[in-house]
Amino acid sequence: MKDLFTATWQTMPPQTATWQTPWLLAIGSLTQRLQQVCQHEFKVQVLKHEFISAPIFMSEDLVMPPQARVLQREVLLCDGDKPLVFACSLLPEAALHGRYQELRTLDSRPLGHWIFSEPVLKRQTMLFADLPSSLDLFQNLPTPTVSSLLGRKTLFIGAAHPFLVSEFFLPNLQARSGGQDGA
């Protein structure tokens, strides 16, 4: 998770991006775009959904005191049983009240549908990185078949505290991207 808060992240997609570029730059709901290219039923496979004490390195980005609780959610967005995207979201517990209470128990519902139906949440920043697949961040993924994963992280503001959503594009998505611009 610490890898989400390093200087590796840049304001432009990495030069290594090829088929991923339109997906990296898409500004609407990634969930909706994925559903358009799915050949089977779109599914969310939950890998992790738990509250943790926030390490100091995430406190500044998420505007919260160190050791405050944050919901760490890791999922695979799948076309049937084929994972297309790995997503890791960090949602401060202090923001998960009132209209955001529902986020505590999303289960296999996509976070993206919820975020893009909530008019007060706005994208503040989007950064990009090409990270080695051997990082701890990816420890819950099925055995990677590539040496690195391209991804983006987005800070959404409008709640009591910002939400951080990161998405990494997996090799299975490339086969479904033919002719699809991702935007």
Side-chain angles (χ1 to χ4, degrees), residues 62-138:
L62 296 182
V63 191
M64 55 190 277
Q67 301 305 309
R69 286 175 31 106
V70 64
L71 176 59
Q72 180 181 4
R73 177 176 162 88
E74 294 180 5
V75 300
L76 291 173
L77 304 177
C78 302
D79 179 2
D81 294 331
K82 300 275 188 193
L84 305 178
V85 172
F86 168 70
C88 177
S89 304
L90 300 169
L91 312 169
E93 183 179 35
L96 302 181
H97 299 284
R99 67 195 314 162
Y100 304 107
Q101 178 77 21
E102 183 180 348
L103 297 177
R104 293 172 176 265
T105 56
L106 277 175
D107 300 318
S108 62
R109 291 176 292 152
L111 176 63
H113 274 318
W114 197 93
I115 285 178
F116 286 96
S117 67
E118 186 58 35
V120 299
L121 292 177
K122 303 289 182 218
R123 179 177 276 129
Q124 182 181 44
T125 58
M126 188 166 22
L127 298 173
F128 309 92
D130 187 355
L131 301 178
S133 59
S134 60
L135 294 176
D136 286 344
L137 175 64
F138 304 122

